[in-house]
């Protein structure tokens, strides 16, 4: 399935746990995060969606922020997980797994019905 | 931050308020201005505005797409980012002290100039009904600046900010003309002293009300600049204007005899 087709309300729900997951690999900045999300198949996430989320993560103490100078450019705002953020990332990933298992137990029935009728 | 050519504003404005154009030269000027104005209306501190602006700049430079595409409507994004970072309402805002100091200063200025004119003429100052009513209208209108709603209306309808002062001056001059009969006379010296006292109180209140760091829009890591000068200047605006008007009154008096 093409990544551009995910309904935006699904993306809003899953974006937090995905961003936390990417930050587990190390500090990153806004544009790189959008690239990584696109590579993962989530489609083009806009800055207008991503930065408010990062702002909420910072406000909650899950990430720390550091401006690093860029070569000739305006510099980059790096986001790094705090210890609390790492715990949050692991916990949310586990809950997301449980959530998708639960939803699939229900929705997979639709696939089974479709397979049975064809 | 490197200085970029083609900035619309001069160095003085930059020193007083910070320079969004220097922080985010690749962001569309209209988008940038709407974004900054909305954040200011939300009382987001200058340093936080600079941070948010540089974040947009960094993103549009790297993504190669305009801010309106990457971030959507500037005002909506400003509200979202201010709410998300908890920065809304944490900066300096127009409060009761701002309004009181401005009103006291305005009244002090008018009273001092009127008293000086009377003193030059060697007699008491005649106060007309029109002058008192005009003063009341000014005070009443200026008080509404205390309300965020008024500020927002003025900012979102710029023609109002241009038109309103002209209409106001017309109304006040009209009132002066309509009710020109003297209501009472006041000796020049006590009136002048009262005016100066009002100006002093206004200046002191304004000094303590002003944002301590000037609340300029600064990029992360950017120095705060000549903050003290800004604060002194903003506290002394009305006394300086009064001095100017006194000089003008004196000059007119000398010329016209």
């Amino acid at each position: 399935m093409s990544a551009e087709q995910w309904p935006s309300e699904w993306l809003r729900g899953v974006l937090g746990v995905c961003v936390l997951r990417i930050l587990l690999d190390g500090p990153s900045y806004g544009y790189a995060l959008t690239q990584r999300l696109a590579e993962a198949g989530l489609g083009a996430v806009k800055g207008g969606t991503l930065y408010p989320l990062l702002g909420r993560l910072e406000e909650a103490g899950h990430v720390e922020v550091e401006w690093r100078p860029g070569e000739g450019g305006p510099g980059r705002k790096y986001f790094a997980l705090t210890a609390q953020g790492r715990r949050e990332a692991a916990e949310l990933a586990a809950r997301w797994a449980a959530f998708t298992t639960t939803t699939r137990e229900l929705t997979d029935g639709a696939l089974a019905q479709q397979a049975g009728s064809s | 931050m490197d200085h970029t050519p083609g900035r619309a504003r001069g160095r003085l404005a930059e020193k007083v308020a910070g320079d969004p154009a220097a922080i985010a030269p690749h962001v569309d000027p209209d988008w940038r201005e709407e974004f900054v104005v909305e954040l200011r209306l939300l009382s987001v501190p200058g340093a936080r505005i600079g941070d948010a602006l540089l974040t947009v700049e960094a993103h549009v430079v790297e993504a190669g797409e305009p801010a309106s595409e990457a971030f959507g409507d500037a005002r909506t994004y400003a509200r979202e980012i201010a709410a998300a970072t908890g920065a809304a309402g944490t900066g300096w805002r127009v409060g009761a002290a701002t309004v009181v100091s401005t009103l006291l200063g305005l009244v002090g200025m008018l009273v001092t100039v009127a008293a000086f004119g009377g003193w030059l003429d060697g007699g008491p100052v005649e106060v007309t009904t029109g002058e008192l009513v005009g003063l009341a209208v000014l005070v009443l209108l200026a008080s509404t600046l205390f309300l965020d709603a008024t500020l927002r209306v003025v900012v979102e309808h710029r023609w109002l900010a241009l038109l309103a002062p002209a209409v106001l001056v017309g109304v006040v001059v009209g009132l002066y003309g309509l009710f020109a009969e003297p209501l009472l006379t006041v000796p020049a010296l006590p009136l002048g002293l009262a005016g100066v006292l009002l100006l002093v109180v206004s200046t002191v209140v304004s000094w303590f009300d002003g944002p301590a760091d000037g609340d300029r829009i600064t990029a992360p890591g950017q120095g705060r600049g000549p903050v003290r000068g800004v604060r002194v200047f903003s506290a002394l605006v009305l006394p300086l204007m009064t001095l100017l008007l006194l000089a003008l009154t004196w000059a007119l008096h000398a010329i016209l005899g």
Side-chain angles (χ1 to χ4, degrees):
Chain A
M1 179 184 257
S2 161
E4 307 301 330
Q5 290 173 6
W6 303 121
S8 60
E9 59 267 34
W10 291 6
L11 284 173
R12 268 202 297 280
V14 77
L15 200 57
V17 61
C18 290
V19 166
L20 285 170
R21 160 66 191 92
I22 295 170
L23 289 176
L24 274 176
D25 294 339
S28 187
Y29 57 96
Y31 181 66
L33 286 169
T34 63
Q35 296 295 97
R36 186 81 161 73
L37 288 163
E39 281 165 22
L42 284 156
V45 174
K46 293 290 180 185
T49 309
L50 182 65
Y51 291 103
L53 168 74
L54 290 166
R56 281 190 291 276
L57 291 177
E58 184 189 355
E59 187 68 3
H62 296 325
V63 298
E64 283 171 340
V65 170
E66 186 198 358
W67 277 96
R68 297 186 194 171
E71 297 124 25
R76 286 168 176 165
K77 188 180 190 175
Y78 272 82
F79 299 86
L81 286 180
T82 60
Q84 182 195 338
R86 290 184 170 277
R87 283 195 298 276
E88 176 79 1
E91 194 184 313
L92 267 187
R95 293 188 66 198
W96 184 259
F99 178 68
T100 48
T101 305
T102 305
T103 50
R104 284 202 63 182
E105 274 170 16
L106 180 65
T107 59
D108 281 0
L111 303 175
Q113 275 186 14
Q114 198 180 32
S117 65
S118 61
Chain B
M1 184 55 39
D2 287 336
H3 284 195
T4 328
R7 276 174 300 139
R9 296 195 292 150
R11 292 192 61 80
L12 181 67
E14 182 184 334
K15 277 181 182 169
V16 172
D19 190 3
I23 295 173
H26 296 94
V27 176
D28 173 64
D30 290 339
W31 195 97
R32 189 174 59 212
E33 189 173 326
E34 268 189 34
F35 184 58
V36 168
V37 166
E38 187 62 32
L39 290 175
R40 281 288 196 203
L41 282 172
L42 293 168
S43 289
V44 173
R48 300 291 287 265
I49 297 177
D51 186 292
L53 205 51
L54 191 60
T55 307
V56 172
E57 167 76 5
H59 190 91
V60 300
V61 165
E62 218 156 353
E65 56 181 5
S68 55
E69 203 173 296
F71 293 89
D73 177 63
R75 283 181 205 169
T76 310
Y77 178 61
R79 283 176 208 143
E80 276 175 14
I81 200 73
T85 57
T90 59
W92 180 83
R93 67 194 306 141
V94 174
T98 324
V99 176
V100 166
S101 80
T102 307
L103 291 180
L104 289 180
L106 273 176
V107 174
M109 181 174 80
L110 295 173
V111 165
T112 306
V113 171
F116 184 64
W119 179 75
L120 284 177
D121 289 333
V125 179
E126 287 187 343
V127 181
T128 70
T129 315
E131 282 168 348
L132 284 181
V133 174
L135 195 63
V137 169
L138 275 180
V139 167
L140 209 66
L141 280 176
S143 321
T144 65
L145 286 175
F146 175 53
L147 304 169
D148 278 359
T150 311
L151 288 179
R152 191 168 277 281
V153 165
V154 171
V155 167
E156 288 176 357
H157 305 85
R158 305 238 165 136
W159 52 271
L160 254 182
L162 293 172
L163 200 63
V167 172
L168 192 61
V169 167
V171 167
V172 169
V173 168
L175 283 170
Y176 279 24
L178 267 178
F179 308 102
E181 71 280 11
L183 187 69
L184 51 119
T185 54
V186 188
L189 190 64
L191 189 67
L193 286 176
V196 171
L197 185 69
L198 286 174
L199 276 169
V200 169
V201 173
S202 154
T203 305
V204 171
V205 173
S206 167
W207 170 264
F208 286 107
D209 172 56
D213 63 352
D215 205 20
R216 292 164 68 247
I217 295 175
T218 50
Q222 190 182 14
R224 285 182 164 185
V227 160
R228 198 176 174 78
V230 174
R231 198 173 173 197
V232 170
F233 181 74
S234 64
L236 286 181
V237 161
L238 285 173
L240 287 173
M241 273 178 71
T242 306
L243 282 180
L244 198 73
L245 285 174
L246 289 181
L248 204 68
T249 307
W250 180 79
L252 281 175
H253 199 267
I255 293 167
L256 301 174

